[in-house]
Each structure stands twice: as C-alpha cells, then as structure tokens.
Amino acid sequence: PSLVSVHTPAFGSSGPKARLGGFDQMIQALCGIEAAAGGEGNPPVWLAAAPMDTGGGWLSTISLLLGRLTALRTGTGCEVESTQMGAGLVAKSGLFVEDGVSVLGPVLDRAQTGYGPGYRIYRTSDDRWVAVVVPDPQRWERLRRVAGMEELPEAYVPLRLEGGDEAIRAEETAAAAFATRPADEWRALLRAEGIPCEPLVHDFPVQRENARAICSDAVLKETWRLALCCSVYPVHAFFQ
C-alpha cells in the first residue's frame, strides 16, 4: 500500500502523442535545444552528452522523492509521472510566451563562444579556452580591477541580449585581455577573486585546427547550469 512507482514516457500517458516513443535526439530537436546549440545563423547541433536522457532521469528522481514524501504524509502509495518532453521544456525555460509575444532567452553567438562577456568561453595565450561566469556586478568590478580590464564598461552588461552594443564592445575588450595570459594563470587569478573560471577539457581527440567549441546552455549555470559547469565539470566542449 505504500509503494511509489514512477513512469517516464516521452510525451506523457495521455494526449495525441501518448503512445509514441521518444529518445534524446528527438526531444532535443522538438524543444529547440539543437537549434540553440548551433548558434545564431548556424545549422542545429545535437549535444552528444545526451542532456535529455540525463535531465529525464533527474526529473524522474525528483518525482520519486515527491511521491515518497506524499506516501509518508498520507500512508498511501502513489504513481507519479515525469516526461522526457518535460525535461526538454525545463532546459529551454528561458524562452517563453507572454501576452502572445515570444520572449527570447539568451542566444548563443555564431562562433559558439557563449551569450555575452559575462557568460562565455575565451581563448587564452596558450591556445586553450577558459569558461568564465561573471554572475553579479560585484564580480564584474573585480574582473575590471584584477584582470587589467579597466576598459570594460562600469555598467554590468553580462549578456549580449540585454547589453546591446555596449556588451559587444565589452566582449571584444575581454577577449583581447584573455589572449594575453595562459589558461591556468587565468583560472588561479579569477578563482581567487570568487569568479568562476575553468579551462575547457576536450571531450574528443581531434585535429586542433578543425576544432569548433560548442558551449552548453551557459546562462542558467549560476541559476544553476554554467556555474555548476565551471565548478564541477568544464563546459561541454565538442570539437568537430
């Protein structure tokens, strides 16, 4: 009587797609994740780390815990459900419709480096890349002060979407500065100031001249994605 079961279909147990199967690539495509990962103006890119499989597993675990909590409170078991499509919608929750108008989340640039000066990867003097997150105005000021980037605007403009031309100029300034020191030196310098920074790890051995870095959805990391990425494992970098 206290049994809790979890069902994780692709689209849910009711509705027109209830009987259809699903897999990671399909959900990525349907939710716009592949289009977003390609970068502005580029073809869609499938994220080989299978984030929908992983995300679906996380949601199933959360569902199980909520079901268990319900069982403890009521003394009765229950059946709970989470979907792969739901995991995809959570991953793309930065894009939504308000009053009939699409509100865009941050957009990955064509070069696939990130979303603005405060959430992106930078090439360093030793021809490596570092993932950098500047999540608040206080750490933006520290970046200007300790990294020799006084030419960065005083205003906090971490995202291209919100900062416009000023953010683009800030990106150019930061990119030039990051090119003056090796990756490990940047890591030590910025992390000492509480600024998340981590050299990228190449997931696949390839010819470096053909490398193309693809940043995972970066902006939500401090609200948990990229900050987690920098502190636990570097930004997914797929090189083709």
Side-chain angles (χ1 to χ4, degrees), residues 114-127:
Y115 299 94
Y119 290 91
R120 60 162 283 175
I121 58 176
Y122 290 98
R123 188 189 293 272
T124 55
S125 64
D126 51 353
D127 200 26

Side-chain angles (χ1 to χ4, degrees), residues 38-238:
E40 191 171 13
N42 292 330
V45 171
W46 168 56
L47 297 181
M52 294 302 93
D53 286 343
T54 306
W58 287 345
L59 286 186
S60 294
T61 302
I62 293 170
S63 299
L64 176 62
L65 293 174
L66 291 173
R68 179 57 180 158
L69 180 61
T70 299
L72 289 173
R73 287 177 173 177
T74 64
T76 304
C78 59
E79 180 179 351
V80 293
E81 180 177 283
S82 65
T83 66
Q84 283 186 300
M85 194 69 176
L89 294 176
V90 168
K92 291 302 296 177
S93 56
L95 171 64
F96 57 95
V97 176
E98 183 177 22
D99 296 329
V101 178
S102 294
V103 179
L104 296 178
V107 178
L108 187 65
D109 63 320
R110 188 176 183 84
Q112 299 172 319
T113 60
Y115 299 94
Y119 290 91
R120 60 162 283 175
I121 58 176
Y122 290 98
R123 188 189 293 272
T124 55
S125 64
D126 51 353
D127 200 26
R128 297 170 67 193
W129 294 84
V130 289
V132 178
V133 173
V134 189
D136 53 52
Q138 292 74 26
R139 278 177 276 196
W140 180 268
E141 179 56 34
R142 289 181 217 163
L143 181 68
R144 295 180 69 247
R145 175 172 49 82
V146 305
M149 300 187 195
E150 293 84 0
E151 294 183 9
L152 285 177
E154 293 185 11
Y156 178 51
V157 285
L159 298 176
R160 220 175 293 114
L161 183 70
E162 299 173 353
D165 291 342
E166 193 171 28
I168 292 173
R169 288 192 295 270
E171 242 179 318
E172 294 171 349
T173 298
F178 275 102
T180 63
R181 302 189 189 197
D184 290 335
E185 187 174 327
W186 279 117
R187 180 184 187 276
L189 177 66
L190 297 188
R191 288 175 73 94
E193 295 293 328
I195 302 172
C197 175
E198 192 71 29
L200 293 191
V201 174
H202 296 187
D203 288 324
F204 305 113
V206 295
Q207 296 178 343
R208 291 178 62 85
E209 62 271 17
N210 294 328
R212 184 169 65 144
I214 300 174
C215 207
S216 72
D217 194 348
V219 168
L220 298 181
K221 284 296 187 189
E222 183 76 6
T223 63
W224 68 283
R225 265 175 273 177
L226 189 55
L228 174 66
C229 196
C230 286
S231 62
V232 179
Y233 53 91
V235 173
H236 295 307
F238 305 109

